[in-house]
Amino acid sequence: MCGIGGVFARRPENPGTLRQRGRSICEALSHRGPDDHGSWIDENSGLVLAHTRLSIIDLSQHGHQPMISRDGRYVISFNGEIYNHHDLARGLNREGVQLSGHSDTESALELIAAVGLEPAVRRFDGMFAFALWDRRERCLHLVRDRLGIKPLYYGNFS
């Protein structure tokens, strides 16, 4: 069980305010992930992604989130489990993608980077919810498993 959260500000905010928002989100979600926490900001877009982690699959720092794809295009904050992530990782390895850790988050993120978001999600077998920022397209994707096992809430606060 991890905690994911974020803010996508309508108006630009200064980096200090964005960093404080990330810390506040992590504090509020600390009960969902006592092993690690982190936040990532995109100053130009007013985006904060925050994550609190309960380490289950990859106990190392290679599972730290929010996680940035190897090519630098995507940033993800992920909660859940991809049951077939070992198969996905082996497929990525055959294609020449070297993963640094053993987390399902990294397997999912690198598959997204390799084949695109929708084709990758169709290959995921699991329960999950995640926020994915596409740095090139400047687009935030909120995704959850087909059955909605992992909750994903969002709001619009004008």
Side-chain angles (χ1 to χ4, degrees), residues 37-123:
H37 67 277
S39 61
W40 181 88
I41 66 171
D42 182 323
E43 296 174 16
N44 296 325
S45 65
L47 176 70
V48 178
L49 293 180
H51 189 87
T52 59
R53 180 176 173 214
L54 177 64
S55 303
I56 295 175
I57 293 178
D58 186 343
L59 306 180
S60 75
Q61 278 300 104
H62 293 293
H64 179 78
Q65 294 187 52
M67 186 180 289
I68 302 171
S69 62
R70 290 169 39 93
D71 65 6
R73 178 175 176 179
Y74 298 103
V75 182
I76 194 169
S77 183
F78 178 93
N79 177 33
E81 185 175 354
I82 305 291
Y83 306 131
N84 63 331
H85 85 93
H86 291 294
D87 294 333
L88 299 176
R90 280 192 290 275
L92 287 165
N93 263 282
R94 282 192 298 274
E95 297 297 319
V97 177
Q98 296 300 314
L99 303 178
S100 60
H102 304 286
S103 74
D104 52 352
T105 303
E106 184 181 18
S107 298
L109 180 60
E110 294 307 331
L111 185 63
I112 291 167
V115 302
L117 177 60
E118 289 186 36
V121 171
R122 283 195 292 272
R123 293 172 61 183

Coordinates of all heavy atoms in Angstrom, one line a residue, residues 37-123:
H37 N 9.5 8.2 1.0 CA 8.6 9.3 0.4 C 9.5 10.2 -0.5 O 10.7 10.2 -0.4 CB 8.0 10.1 1.5 CG 8.9 10.9 2.3 ND1 9.6 10.5 3.4 CD2 9.2 12.2 2.2 CE1 10.4 11.5 3.8 NE2 10.2 12.5 3.1
G38 N 8.8 10.8 -1.4 CA 9.4 11.7 -2.3 C 8.4 12.5 -3.0 O 7.2 12.2 -3.1
S39 N 8.9 13.6 -3.6 CA 8.1 14.4 -4.5 C 8.9 14.9 -5.6 O 10.1 15.0 -5.5 CB 7.4 15.6 -3.7 OG 8.4 16.5 -3.1
W40 N 8.2 15.3 -6.7 CA 8.9 15.8 -7.9 C 8.0 16.9 -8.4 O 6.8 16.9 -8.4 CB 8.9 14.7 -8.9 CG 9.6 15.1 -10.2 CD1 10.9 15.0 -10.5 CD2 8.9 15.6 -11.4 NE1 11.1 15.5 -11.8 CE2 9.9 15.8 -12.3 CE3 7.6 15.9 -11.7 CZ2 9.6 16.4 -13.6 CZ3 7.3 16.5 -12.9 CH2 8.3 16.7 -13.9
I41 N 8.7 18.0 -8.8 CA 7.9 19.2 -9.3 C 8.4 19.6 -10.7 O 9.5 19.3 -11.1 CB 8.1 20.4 -8.4 CG1 9.5 20.9 -8.3 CG2 7.6 20.1 -7.0 CD1 9.6 22.3 -7.6
D42 N 7.5 20.1 -11.5 CA 7.8 20.7 -12.8 C 7.3 22.2 -12.6 O 6.1 22.5 -12.6 CB 7.0 20.0 -13.9 CG 7.3 20.6 -15.2 OD1 7.5 21.8 -15.4 OD2 7.3 19.8 -16.2
E43 N 8.3 23.0 -12.4 CA 8.0 24.4 -12.1 C 7.3 25.1 -13.2 O 6.4 26.0 -12.9 CB 9.4 25.2 -11.9 CG 10.1 24.7 -10.7 CD 11.5 25.4 -10.6 OE1 11.7 26.4 -11.3 OE2 12.3 24.9 -9.8
N44 N 7.6 24.8 -14.4 CA 6.9 25.5 -15.6 C 5.5 25.2 -15.7 O 4.7 26.0 -16.2 CB 7.7 25.2 -16.9 CG 9.1 25.7 -16.9 OD1 9.4 26.7 -16.3 ND2 10.0 24.9 -17.5
S45 N 5.1 24.0 -15.3 CA 3.7 23.6 -15.4 C 2.9 23.7 -14.1 O 1.7 23.6 -14.1 CB 3.5 22.2 -15.9 OG 4.1 21.3 -15.0
G46 N 3.6 23.9 -13.0 CA 2.9 24.0 -11.7 C 2.4 22.6 -11.2 O 1.5 22.5 -10.5
L47 N 3.2 21.6 -11.6 CA 2.8 20.2 -11.2 C 3.7 19.7 -10.0 O 4.9 19.9 -10.0 CB 3.0 19.3 -12.4 CG 2.8 17.8 -12.1 CD1 1.3 17.5 -11.9 CD2 3.3 17.0 -13.3
V48 N 3.0 19.1 -9.1 CA 3.7 18.4 -8.0 C 3.2 16.9 -8.0 O 2.0 16.7 -8.0 CB 3.4 19.0 -6.6 CG1 4.1 18.2 -5.5 CG2 3.7 20.4 -6.6
L49 N 4.1 15.9 -8.0 CA 3.8 14.5 -7.8 C 4.4 14.1 -6.5 O 5.6 14.4 -6.3 CB 4.3 13.7 -9.0 CG 3.6 13.8 -10.3 CD1 4.2 12.9 -11.4 CD2 2.1 13.6 -10.3
A50 N 3.6 13.5 -5.7 CA 4.2 13.1 -4.4 C 3.9 11.6 -4.2 O 2.9 11.1 -4.7 CB 3.6 13.9 -3.2
H51 N 4.7 11.0 -3.4 CA 4.6 9.5 -3.2 C 5.1 9.1 -1.8 O 6.1 9.6 -1.3 CB 5.4 8.8 -4.2 CG 5.2 7.3 -4.3 ND1 4.2 6.7 -5.0 CD2 5.8 6.3 -3.6 CE1 4.2 5.4 -4.8 NE2 5.2 5.1 -4.0
T52 N 4.3 8.3 -1.1 CA 4.8 7.6 0.1 C 4.8 6.1 -0.2 O 3.9 5.6 -0.9 CB 3.9 7.9 1.3 OG1 2.6 7.5 1.1 CG2 4.0 9.4 1.6
R53 N 5.8 5.4 0.2 CA 6.0 4.1 -0.2 C 6.1 3.0 0.9 O 6.7 3.2 1.9 CB 7.4 4.0 -0.9 CG 7.8 2.7 -1.5 CD 9.1 2.8 -2.2 NE 9.6 1.5 -2.6 CZ 10.9 1.2 -2.7 NH1 11.8 2.1 -2.4 NH2 11.2 0.0 -3.0
L54 N 5.3 2.0 0.6 CA 5.4 0.8 1.4 C 6.2 -0.2 0.6 O 5.7 -0.7 -0.5 CB 4.1 0.2 1.8 CG 4.1 -1.1 2.6 CD1 4.7 -0.9 3.9 CD2 2.7 -1.7 2.7
S55 N 7.5 -0.5 0.9 CA 8.3 -1.3 0.1 C 8.0 -2.8 0.2 O 8.1 -3.4 1.3 CB 9.8 -1.1 0.5 OG 10.1 0.2 0.4
I56 N 7.6 -3.4 -0.9 CA 7.2 -4.8 -0.9 C 8.0 -5.6 -1.9 O 8.7 -6.6 -1.6 CB 5.7 -5.0 -1.1 CG1 4.9 -4.4 0.0 CG2 5.3 -6.5 -1.3 CD1 3.4 -4.4 -0.2
I57 N 8.0 -5.2 -3.1 CA 8.7 -5.9 -4.2 C 10.2 -5.6 -4.3 O 11.0 -6.5 -4.2 CB 8.0 -5.7 -5.6 CG1 6.6 -6.3 -5.5 CG2 8.8 -6.3 -6.7 CD1 5.8 -6.1 -6.8
D58 N 10.5 -4.4 -4.4 CA 11.9 -4.0 -4.5 C 12.2 -3.1 -3.2 O 11.7 -2.0 -3.2 CB 12.2 -3.2 -5.8 CG 13.7 -2.9 -6.0 OD1 14.5 -2.9 -5.0 OD2 14.1 -2.5 -7.1
L59 N 12.9 -3.6 -2.3 CA 13.2 -2.9 -1.1 C 14.3 -1.9 -1.2 O 14.5 -1.1 -0.2 CB 13.5 -3.9 0.0 CG 12.5 -5.1 0.3 CD1 13.0 -6.0 1.4 CD2 11.1 -4.5 0.5
S60 N 15.0 -1.8 -2.3 CA 16.1 -0.9 -2.5 C 15.6 0.5 -2.9 O 14.5 0.7 -3.2 CB 17.0 -1.5 -3.6 OG 16.5 -1.3 -4.8
Q61 N 16.6 1.4 -3.0 CA 16.3 2.7 -3.4 C 15.9 2.8 -4.9 O 15.5 3.8 -5.4 CB 17.5 3.6 -3.2 CG 17.5 4.2 -1.7 CD 16.3 5.0 -1.4 OE1 15.4 4.5 -0.7 NE2 16.2 6.2 -1.9
H62 N 16.2 1.7 -5.6 CA 15.8 1.6 -7.1 C 14.3 1.7 -7.2 O 13.8 2.0 -8.3 CB 16.3 0.4 -7.7 CG 17.8 0.3 -7.8 ND1 18.5 1.2 -8.6 CD2 18.7 -0.5 -7.2 CE1 19.8 0.9 -8.5 NE2 19.9 -0.1 -7.6
G63 N 13.5 1.5 -6.2 CA 12.1 1.6 -6.2 C 11.5 3.0 -5.8 O 10.3 3.1 -5.7
H64 N 12.5 3.9 -5.5 CA 12.0 5.2 -5.0 C 11.1 5.9 -6.1 O 11.4 5.8 -7.3 CB 13.3 6.1 -4.8 CG 12.9 7.5 -4.3 ND1 12.6 7.8 -3.0 CD2 12.9 8.7 -5.0 CE1 12.3 9.1 -2.9 NE2 12.5 9.6 -4.1
Q65 N 10.1 6.6 -5.5 CA 9.2 7.3 -6.4 C 9.0 8.7 -5.9 O 9.2 9.0 -4.7 CB 7.9 6.6 -6.5 CG 7.9 5.3 -7.1 CD 6.5 4.7 -7.3 OE1 5.7 5.3 -7.8 NE2 6.4 3.5 -6.8
P66 N 8.5 9.6 -6.7 CA 8.2 9.5 -8.1 C 9.5 9.1 -8.9 O 10.6 9.4 -8.5 CB 7.8 10.9 -8.5 CG 7.2 11.5 -7.3 CD 8.1 10.9 -6.2
M67 N 9.2 8.3 -9.9 CA 10.3 7.7 -10.7 C 10.3 8.3 -12.1 O 9.2 8.5 -12.7 CB 10.1 6.1 -10.8 CG 11.2 5.4 -11.5 SD 10.8 3.6 -11.5 CE 11.0 3.2 -9.8
I68 N 11.5 8.6 -12.6 CA 11.7 9.1 -13.9 C 12.1 8.0 -14.9 O 13.1 7.3 -14.5 CB 12.7 10.3 -13.9 CG1 12.2 11.4 -12.9 CG2 12.9 10.9 -15.3 CD1 13.2 12.5 -12.7
S69 N 11.5 8.0 -16.1 CA 12.0 7.0 -17.1 C 13.4 7.2 -17.5 O 13.9 8.3 -17.4 CB 11.0 7.0 -18.3 OG 11.1 8.2 -18.9
R70 N 14.0 6.1 -18.0 CA 15.4 6.2 -18.4 C 15.6 7.3 -19.5 O 16.6 8.0 -19.5 CB 15.9 4.9 -19.0 CG 16.0 3.8 -17.9 CD 16.3 2.4 -18.5 NE 17.1 2.4 -19.7 CZ 18.4 2.1 -19.7 NH1 19.0 1.9 -18.5 NH2 19.1 2.1 -20.8
D71 N 14.6 7.5 -20.4 CA 14.8 8.5 -21.4 C 14.4 9.9 -20.9 O 14.5 10.9 -21.7 CB 14.0 8.1 -22.6 CG 12.5 8.1 -22.4 OD1 12.0 8.5 -21.3 OD2 11.7 7.7 -23.3
G72 N 13.9 10.0 -19.7 CA 13.6 11.3 -19.1 C 12.3 11.9 -19.5 O 11.9 13.0 -19.0
R73 N 11.5 11.2 -20.3 CA 10.3 11.7 -20.8 C 9.1 11.6 -19.8 O 8.3 12.5 -19.7 CB 9.8 11.0 -22.1 CG 8.5 11.5 -22.6 CD 8.1 10.8 -23.9 NE 6.8 11.3 -24.3 CZ 6.2 10.9 -25.4 NH1 6.8 10.1 -26.2 NH2 4.9 11.3 -25.7
Y74 N 9.1 10.5 -19.0 CA 8.0 10.3 -18.1 C 8.4 10.3 -16.7 O 9.5 9.9 -16.3 CB 7.3 8.9 -18.4 CG 6.8 8.8 -19.8 CD1 7.5 8.1 -20.8 CD2 5.5 9.3 -20.1 CE1 6.9 8.0 -22.1 CE2 5.0 9.2 -21.4 CZ 5.7 8.5 -22.4 OH 5.2 8.4 -23.6
V75 N 7.4 10.8 -15.8 CA 7.5 10.7 -14.4 C 6.3 10.0 -13.9 O 5.2 10.4 -14.3 CB 7.7 12.1 -13.8 CG1 7.9 12.0 -12.3 CG2 8.8 12.9 -14.4
I76 N 6.5 9.1 -13.0 CA 5.3 8.3 -12.5 C 5.3 8.3 -10.9 O 6.3 8.2 -10.3 CB 5.3 6.9 -13.0 CG1 4.0 6.2 -12.8 CG2 6.5 6.1 -12.4 CD1 3.9 4.8 -13.6
S77 N 4.1 8.3 -10.4 CA 3.8 8.0 -9.0 C 2.8 6.9 -9.0 O 1.7 7.1 -9.5 CB 3.3 9.2 -8.3 OG 3.1 8.9 -6.9
F78 N 3.2 5.7 -8.6 CA 2.4 4.4 -8.8 C 2.1 3.8 -7.5 O 2.9 3.7 -6.6 CB 3.4 3.5 -9.6 CG 2.8 2.1 -9.9 CD1 2.1 1.9 -11.1 CD2 2.9 1.1 -9.0 CE1 1.6 0.7 -11.4 CE2 2.4 -0.2 -9.3 CZ 1.7 -0.4 -10.5
N79 N 0.9 3.3 -7.4 CA 0.4 2.4 -6.3 C -0.2 1.2 -6.8 O -1.0 1.2 -7.8 CB -0.6 3.2 -5.5 CG -1.2 2.3 -4.3 OD1 -0.4 1.5 -3.7 ND2 -2.4 2.5 -4.0
G80 N 0.2 0.0 -6.3 CA -0.5 -1.2 -6.7 C 0.6 -2.3 -7.0 O 1.7 -2.3 -6.4
E81 N 0.2 -3.2 -7.8 CA 1.0 -4.3 -8.2 C 0.7 -4.8 -9.6 O -0.4 -5.0 -9.9 CB 0.9 -5.5 -7.2 CG 1.8 -6.6 -7.4 CD 1.7 -7.7 -6.4 OE1 1.0 -7.6 -5.4 OE2 2.4 -8.7 -6.6
I82 N 1.8 -4.9 -10.4 CA 1.7 -5.5 -11.7 C 2.1 -7.0 -11.6 O 3.3 -7.2 -11.4 CB 2.6 -4.8 -12.7 CG1 2.3 -3.3 -12.8 CG2 2.4 -5.4 -14.1 CD1 0.9 -2.9 -13.3
Y83 N 1.2 -7.9 -11.6 CA 1.5 -9.3 -11.4 C 2.5 -9.9 -12.4 O 3.3 -10.8 -12.1 CB 0.2 -10.1 -11.3 CG -0.8 -9.6 -10.3 CD1 -2.1 -9.5 -10.7 CD2 -0.5 -9.3 -9.0 CE1 -3.1 -9.0 -9.8 CE2 -1.4 -8.8 -8.1 CZ -2.7 -8.7 -8.6 OH -3.7 -8.2 -7.7
N84 N 2.4 -9.4 -13.6 CA 3.2 -10.0 -14.7 C 4.4 -9.1 -15.0 O 5.0 -9.2 -16.0 CB 2.4 -10.2 -16.0 CG 1.8 -8.9 -16.5 OD1 1.6 -7.9 -15.8 ND2 1.6 -8.9 -17.8
H85 N 4.9 -8.4 -14.0 CA 6.0 -7.5 -14.2 C 7.3 -8.2 -14.5 O 8.1 -7.7 -15.3 CB 6.2 -6.4 -13.1 CG 7.0 -6.9 -11.9 ND1 8.3 -6.6 -11.8 CD2 6.6 -7.5 -10.8 CE1 8.7 -7.1 -10.7 NE2 7.7 -7.7 -10.1
H86 N 7.5 -9.4 -14.0 CA 8.7 -10.2 -14.4 C 8.7 -10.5 -15.9 O 9.8 -10.4 -16.5 CB 8.8 -11.4 -13.5 CG 9.1 -11.2 -12.1 ND1 10.3 -10.6 -11.6 CD2 8.3 -11.4 -11.0 CE1 10.2 -10.5 -10.3 NE2 9.0 -11.0 -9.9
D87 N 7.6 -10.9 -16.4 CA 7.5 -11.1 -17.8 C 7.8 -9.9 -18.6 O 8.5 -9.9 -19.7 CB 6.2 -11.7 -18.2 CG 5.9 -13.1 -17.6 OD1 6.9 -13.8 -17.4 OD2 4.7 -13.4 -17.4
L88 N 7.2 -8.8 -18.2 CA 7.4 -7.5 -18.9 C 8.9 -7.1 -18.8 O 9.4 -6.6 -19.8 CB 6.5 -6.4 -18.2 CG 5.0 -6.6 -18.3 CD1 4.3 -5.5 -17.5 CD2 4.5 -6.7 -19.7
A89 N 9.5 -7.3 -17.7 CA 10.9 -6.9 -17.5 C 11.8 -7.8 -18.4 O 12.7 -7.3 -19.1 CB 11.4 -7.1 -16.1
R90 N 11.5 -9.1 -18.5 CA 12.3 -10.0 -19.4 C 12.1 -9.5 -20.9 O 13.1 -9.5 -21.6 CB 11.8 -11.4 -19.3 CG 12.4 -12.1 -18.0 CD 12.2 -13.6 -18.1 NE 10.8 -14.0 -17.9 CZ 10.3 -14.1 -16.7 NH1 10.9 -13.9 -15.6 NH2 9.0 -14.4 -16.6
G91 N 10.9 -9.1 -21.3 CA 10.7 -8.6 -22.6 C 11.4 -7.3 -22.9 O 12.0 -7.2 -24.0
L92 N 11.5 -6.5 -21.9 CA 12.2 -5.2 -22.1 C 13.7 -5.5 -22.2 O 14.4 -4.9 -23.0 CB 12.0 -4.3 -20.9 CG 10.6 -3.6 -20.9 CD1 10.3 -3.0 -19.5 CD2 10.5 -2.5 -21.9
N93 N 14.2 -6.5 -21.4 CA 15.6 -6.9 -21.5 C 16.0 -7.4 -22.8 O 17.0 -7.1 -23.4 CB 15.9 -7.9 -20.4 CG 16.5 -7.3 -19.2 OD1 17.7 -7.0 -19.2 ND2 15.7 -7.1 -18.1
R94 N 15.1 -8.2 -23.4 CA 15.3 -8.7 -24.8 C 15.4 -7.6 -25.8 O 16.1 -7.7 -26.8 CB 14.2 -9.7 -25.2 CG 14.4 -11.1 -24.5 CD 13.5 -12.1 -25.1 NE 12.1 -11.8 -25.0 CZ 11.3 -12.2 -23.9 NH1 11.9 -12.8 -22.9 NH2 10.1 -11.9 -23.9
E95 N 14.7 -6.5 -25.5 CA 14.8 -5.4 -26.4 C 15.9 -4.4 -26.1 O 16.0 -3.4 -26.7 CB 13.4 -4.6 -26.3 CG 12.2 -5.4 -26.8 CD 12.3 -5.8 -28.2 OE1 12.7 -5.0 -29.1 OE2 12.0 -6.9 -28.6
G96 N 16.8 -4.8 -25.2 CA 17.9 -4.0 -24.8 C 17.7 -3.0 -23.7 O 18.6 -2.1 -23.5
V97 N 16.6 -3.0 -23.1 CA 16.4 -2.0 -22.0 C 16.9 -2.7 -20.7 O 16.4 -3.7 -20.3 CB 14.8 -1.7 -21.8 CG1 14.6 -0.8 -20.6 CG2 14.3 -1.1 -23.1
Q98 N 17.8 -2.1 -20.0 CA 18.4 -2.6 -18.8 C 17.7 -1.8 -17.6 O 17.8 -0.6 -17.5 CB 19.9 -2.3 -18.8 CG 20.7 -3.1 -19.8 CD 20.5 -4.6 -19.7 OE1 20.6 -5.1 -18.6 NE2 20.2 -5.2 -20.8
L99 N 17.0 -2.6 -16.8 CA 16.4 -2.0 -15.6 C 17.4 -1.9 -14.5 O 18.2 -2.8 -14.3 CB 15.2 -2.9 -15.2 CG 14.1 -3.1 -16.3 CD1 13.0 -4.0 -15.8 CD2 13.6 -1.7 -16.8
S100 N 17.3 -0.9 -13.7 CA 18.2 -0.7 -12.6 C 17.8 -1.4 -11.3 O 18.6 -1.7 -10.5 CB 18.4 0.8 -12.3 OG 17.2 1.4 -11.9
G101 N 16.5 -1.8 -11.2 CA 16.0 -2.4 -10.0 C 15.1 -3.6 -10.4 O 15.2 -4.1 -11.5
H102 N 14.2 -3.9 -9.4 CA 13.3 -5.1 -9.6 C 11.9 -4.7 -9.3 O 11.1 -5.6 -9.1 CB 13.8 -6.2 -8.7 CG 15.2 -6.6 -8.9 ND1 15.6 -7.3 -10.0 CD2 16.3 -6.4 -8.1 CE1 16.9 -7.5 -9.9 NE2 17.3 -6.9 -8.8
S103 N 11.6 -3.4 -9.4 CA 10.2 -3.0 -9.0 C 9.3 -3.1 -10.2 O 9.7 -3.0 -11.4 CB 10.2 -1.6 -8.5 OG 10.4 -0.7 -9.5
D104 N 8.0 -3.4 -9.9 CA 7.0 -3.4 -11.0 C 6.8 -2.0 -11.5 O 6.4 -1.9 -12.7 CB 5.7 -4.1 -10.5 CG 5.1 -3.5 -9.2 OD1 5.8 -2.7 -8.5 OD2 4.0 -3.9 -8.8
T105 N 7.0 -1.0 -10.7 CA 6.9 0.4 -11.2 C 7.9 0.6 -12.3 O 7.5 1.2 -13.3 CB 7.1 1.4 -10.0 OG1 6.2 1.1 -9.0 CG2 7.0 2.8 -10.5
E106 N 9.1 0.2 -12.1 CA 10.1 0.5 -13.2 C 9.7 -0.3 -14.4 O 9.9 0.2 -15.5 CB 11.5 0.1 -12.7 CG 12.6 0.4 -13.7 CD 14.0 0.0 -13.3 OE1 14.1 -0.8 -12.3 OE2 14.9 0.5 -13.9
S107 N 9.3 -1.6 -14.3 CA 8.9 -2.3 -15.5 C 7.8 -1.7 -16.2 O 7.8 -1.5 -17.4 CB 8.5 -3.7 -15.0 OG 9.5 -4.5 -14.4
A108 N 6.8 -1.2 -15.5 CA 5.6 -0.5 -16.1 C 6.1 0.8 -16.8 O 5.7 1.1 -17.9 CB 4.6 -0.2 -15.0
L109 N 6.9 1.6 -16.1 CA 7.3 2.9 -16.6 C 8.1 2.7 -17.9 O 7.9 3.4 -18.9 CB 8.2 3.6 -15.5 CG 8.7 5.0 -15.9 CD1 7.6 5.9 -16.3 CD2 9.5 5.5 -14.8
E110 N 9.1 1.7 -17.9 CA 9.9 1.5 -19.1 C 9.1 0.9 -20.2 O 9.4 1.2 -21.4 CB 11.1 0.7 -18.7 CG 12.1 1.4 -17.8 CD 12.5 2.9 -18.2 OE1 12.6 3.1 -19.5 OE2 12.8 3.7 -17.3
L111 N 8.1 0.1 -19.9 CA 7.3 -0.4 -21.0 C 6.5 0.8 -21.6 O 6.3 0.9 -22.8 CB 6.3 -1.5 -20.5 CG 5.5 -2.1 -21.6 CD1 6.4 -2.9 -22.6 CD2 4.5 -3.1 -21.0
I112 N 6.0 1.7 -20.8 CA 5.3 2.9 -21.3 C 6.2 3.7 -22.2 O 5.8 4.1 -23.3 CB 4.8 3.7 -20.1 CG1 3.6 3.0 -19.4 CG2 4.3 5.1 -20.6 CD1 3.2 3.6 -18.1
A113 N 7.4 3.9 -21.8 CA 8.4 4.6 -22.6 C 8.7 3.9 -23.9 O 8.9 4.5 -24.9 CB 9.7 4.8 -21.8
A114 N 8.7 2.6 -23.9 CA 9.0 1.8 -25.1 C 7.9 1.7 -26.1 O 8.1 1.8 -27.3 CB 9.5 0.4 -24.7
V115 N 6.6 1.5 -25.6 CA 5.5 1.2 -26.5 C 4.4 2.3 -26.5 O 3.5 2.2 -27.3 CB 5.0 -0.2 -26.3 CG1 6.1 -1.2 -26.5 CG2 4.3 -0.3 -25.0
G116 N 4.4 3.2 -25.5 CA 3.3 4.1 -25.4 C 2.4 3.7 -24.2 O 2.4 2.6 -23.8
L117 N 1.7 4.7 -23.7 CA 0.8 4.5 -22.5 C -0.3 3.4 -22.7 O -0.4 2.5 -22.0 CB 0.2 5.8 -22.1 CG -0.7 5.7 -20.9 CD1 0.0 5.1 -19.6 CD2 -1.3 7.1 -20.6
E118 N -1.1 3.6 -23.7 CA -2.3 2.7 -23.9 C -1.8 1.3 -24.2 O -2.3 0.3 -23.6 CB -3.2 3.3 -24.9 CG -4.0 4.5 -24.4 CD -5.1 4.9 -25.3 OE1 -5.7 4.1 -26.0 OE2 -5.2 6.2 -25.4
P119 N -0.9 1.1 -25.2 CA -0.5 -0.3 -25.4 C 0.2 -1.0 -24.2 O 0.0 -2.2 -23.9 CB 0.6 -0.2 -26.5 CG 0.3 1.1 -27.2 CD -0.3 2.0 -26.1
A120 N 0.9 -0.2 -23.4 CA 1.5 -0.7 -22.2 C 0.5 -1.1 -21.2 O 0.5 -2.3 -20.6 CB 2.5 0.3 -21.6
V121 N -0.5 -0.3 -20.9 CA -1.5 -0.5 -19.9 C -2.3 -1.8 -20.3 O -2.7 -2.6 -19.4 CB -2.4 0.7 -19.7 CG1 -3.6 0.3 -18.8 CG2 -1.6 1.8 -19.0
R122 N -2.6 -2.0 -21.6 CA -3.3 -3.2 -22.0 C -2.5 -4.5 -21.7 O -3.1 -5.5 -21.5 CB -3.5 -3.1 -23.5 CG -4.7 -2.2 -23.9 CD -5.2 -2.4 -25.3 NE -4.2 -2.0 -26.3 CZ -4.2 -0.8 -26.8 NH1 -5.0 0.1 -26.4 NH2 -3.3 -0.5 -27.8
R123 N -1.2 -4.4 -21.5 CA -0.4 -5.5 -21.2 C -0.2 -5.7 -19.7 O 0.3 -6.8 -19.2 CB 1.0 -5.4 -21.8 CG 0.9 -5.5 -23.3 CD 2.1 -5.2 -24.1 NE 3.2 -6.1 -23.8 CZ 4.5 -5.9 -24.2 NH1 4.7 -5.0 -25.1 NH2 5.4 -6.8 -23.9

